[in-house]
Amino acid sequence: MTAMRWITLPLLCAALWLTGCASTRLVDSDVQSFSQLAGAPARPTYDFERLPSQQALGAQQSAVEAQARLALAKVGLHQNNAAPFYRVQAHARIDLQAYPDYWDGPGWGWGGWGGGRGFYGGLSMRFPPPTLYRREVGLILREAASGTVVYETRAVHEGVWTDNPAVFAAMFDAALNGFPTPPTGLRRIVLEIPR
């Protein structure tokens, strides 16, 4: 009876932990920022500006800017098309690739779980490798009057999630972590988002 209790308790704890994790997930972004700002902007207004290549994207660029707008508002910057103090360029990109060396790891390929070459009993099942999404977002803030760049930041994330809006939103939040005086160097920012 005691042994059964010791087996059941860890299983119950594991089940509760997995249930709690099922409603959220983590987006880890590698962030690097460069700032010329000494503190919070006195005039925290901006308007978006687009490169010619971004103008050609139309609705796609508008969706990127919508995600950036939410993140900028969280750090106290507000869009004002009539009298912006800053011009903001926002970009987002995504590259698709298969997991590197997915079939070469232990437990896969012709070697079965024994490794090496040859066939070791049973069928060697080959499923398509999962798609790895490498996403990048970035923001550049310039003083509207002078064109001087005062803030530059970017965030990179690799993962298998396919819901771009939710992941990009978290990445823009990560990119603005520490605004207006972020730490120097590359850092990892982990944010929790709904599943």
Side-chain angles (χ1 to χ4, degrees), residues 48-62 64-65 88-92 138 140:
F48 286 111
E49 69 175 6
R50 296 181 180 183
L51 299 171
S53 58
Q54 294 174 323
Q55 293 172 15
L57 294 174
Q60 289 178 326
Q61 183 62 24
S62 294
V64 169
E65 291 169 0
V88 176
Q89 285 181 6
H91 80 266
I140 296 175

Side-chain angles (χ1 to χ4, degrees), residues 101-127:
D101 301 325
Y102 183 74
W103 293 117
D104 295 334
W108 298 106
W110 290 107
W113 278 271
R117 295 286 176 224
F119 187 75
Y120 295 98
L123 294 175
S124 180
M125 300 177 69
R126 307 222 10 135
F127 300 100

